[in-house]
Amino acid sequence: MTETQAPPQEALPAERKRFAFSADPRLLGLAGVLVILCLVGQLTRPELFFTESNISTILRLAAAIGVVSVGMTFVIISGGIDLSVGSMVGLAGVWLTTLATQSYGPWVMVLCGLAVGLGCGLVNGVLVAYGKVVPFIATLAMYVSARGLAERISGRRTQVVADQDFLAFFRGSFLGVPTLIWLFALVFAVGWVVLNRTTFGRRTYAVGGNAEASRLAGINVKRHLALVYGVAGLCCGIAALMVVARTTAGASTNGMFYELDAIAAVVIGGTLLTGGRGSLIGTLIGVLIFTVLSNIFTLNNLDTDIQNIAKGVIIVLAVLLQFRARKSRTQSPWRSS
């Protein structure tokens, strides 16, 4: 191999990911934690936990934050971070529920929500990739400005959805399963295919693992990063539709703290905060762990402060396990170069 020829940086992560679920013990451990939580829920409230209505409630609550977490997984794998996802959900929700937008019908409402989310995400991406603004600062600025714009548009008032066709579709069901759950499953499936079976996904891993090596391998790193943040914004637009449908209203407070829940779910799922490694299956399990945990606390009428403490402990343990796993791989004499 000559000096001008770069190694195939994008091929390695794809091969590793093909057998990630069967080979990665951390994913199996996460699944075990989820099973234990379900057993705790069943033991503490046997008359309520494993009922059809409660399981449907858990999945519907997990749907919106799960869609946001899919976009966040792409961003963190690429080596970035997005603190503005909650604000983008709020802004998209407010914009699609204004009287002017609703007067054009449900399809315009949907397109408006998606466009606002995608636009905000691309702004983040352009600032990070082309403006060379640190992702933390760029998305923090969007976090503040998007929430402020949502308050300005709504006048800090809750905007009730009057379009019954919009509500009928998103609050309906298909084959007995709520539409919101189908939508979450669709977004997750598309995200998994893109991340594991397309060039875009391989490049996302490559850029997160080593941006300079990816550039030398011929990847347009700047354009790719902008598109990754656009994907996260689009997921926020979809989540805004789901939140508005579930609450039947748009408000500037929609999506509050979603950025923390999404980052926590992604980290719990095993995605490295330094980028280059991650799994959407792990993210899915992370979302379900937090949702089931919240459901158990709610069913048992426990204080939210104890719930937040439990979440914090789980996040810290997950990060410590990440660093320990990385240290073990680095010190291993069998580590590949």
Side-chain angles (χ1 to χ4, degrees):
M1 180 179 294
T2 64
E3 294 183 358
T4 58
Q5 291 178 319
Q9 298 288 335
E10 346 174 41
L12 295 177
E15 293 297 325
R16 293 171 184 170
K17 289 295 293 175
R18 289 179 184 175
F19 304 97
F21 184 73
S22 60
D24 196 339
R26 284 169 296 186
L27 290 181
L28 297 177
L30 283 174
V33 171
L34 180 58
V35 171
I36 292 173
L37 284 176
C38 290
L39 291 176
V40 171
Q42 176 64 16
L43 290 174
T44 56
R45 296 307 299 268
E47 75 282 4
L48 293 175
F49 187 78
F50 270 122
T51 61
E52 181 179 350
S53 61
N54 189 57
I55 293 175
S56 178
T57 298
I58 292 174
L59 294 178
R60 282 189 288 109
L61 291 175
I65 189 62
V67 169
V68 172
S69 299
V70 169
M72 185 68 77
T73 303
F74 276 82
V75 171
I76 294 181
I77 288 177
S78 71
I81 196 75
D82 194 341
L83 302 179
S84 64
V85 291
S87 296
M88 289 192 288
V89 170
L91 178 59
V94 164
W95 214 315
L96 72 90
T97 54
T98 60
L99 293 176
T101 304
Q102 292 194 57
S103 65
Y104 289 100
W107 289 110
V108 174
M109 293 173 64
V110 171
L111 291 176
C112 183
L114 298 180
V116 171
L118 177 60
C120 290
L122 289 176
V123 170
N124 282 337
V126 169
L127 289 175
V128 171
Y130 294 95
K132 298 187 183 301
V133 181
V134 177
F136 181 90
I137 300 300
T139 58
L140 182 61
M142 179 61 72
Y143 167 86
V144 175
S145 57
R147 189 72 69 183
L149 183 56
E151 293 177 351
R152 181 77 175 181
I153 294 173
S154 64
R156 298 188 177 182
R157 298 185 182 92
T158 299
Q159 300 174 164
V160 179
V161 177
D163 193 297
Q164 296 304 312
D165 292 335
F166 178 90
L167 295 178
F169 177 78
F170 285 100
R171 291 175 67 86
S173 61
F174 178 70
L175 299 178
V177 179
T179 302
L180 295 183
I181 298 176
W182 283 113
L183 188 56
F184 175 35
L186 177 62
V187 172
F188 176 82
V190 172
W192 188 90
V193 170
V194 170
L195 194 58
N196 294 276
R197 294 292 184 266
T198 68
T199 301
F200 186 88
R202 291 192 293 271
R203 289 179 176 177
T204 301
Y205 282 106
V207 170
N210 192 323
E212 181 60 20
S214 299
R215 185 185 66 81
L216 294 175
I219 299 175
N220 189 330
V221 174
K222 292 181 178 180
R223 183 179 64 186
H224 189 82
L225 284 176
L227 292 176
V228 165
Y229 280 91
V231 168
L234 182 61
C235 288
C236 290
I238 297 172
L241 298 174
M242 303 168 78
V243 173
V244 168
R246 194 179 73 235
T247 61
T248 69
S252 59
T253 56
N254 284 354
M256 192 75 75
F257 302 125
Y258 269 25
E259 55 279 343
L260 301 181
D261 289 340
I263 293 172
V266 173
V267 172
I268 290 295
T271 299
L272 294 181
L273 286 171
T274 53
R277 187 180 187 280
S279 164
L280 270 180
I281 294 178
T283 296
L284 173 62
I285 299 176
V287 170
L288 292 177
I289 285 175
F290 278 119
T291 308
V292 170
L293 182 65
S294 298
N295 182 258
I296 292 173
F297 275 80
T298 301
L299 292 179
N300 289 278
N301 297 317
L302 298 176
D303 293 336
T304 56
D305 53 353
I306 301 177
Q307 176 180 330
N308 291 333
I309 292 172
K311 286 184 177 181
V313 171
I314 292 174
I315 294 171
V316 171
L317 290 176
V319 173
L320 290 176
L321 288 174
Q322 277 194 10
F323 284 123
R324 183 176 179 180
R326 289 186 64 195
K327 186 177 180 180
S328 299
R329 288 198 303 271
T330 302
Q331 295 178 347
S332 173
W334 303 105
R335 182 175 60 91
S336 59
S337 57

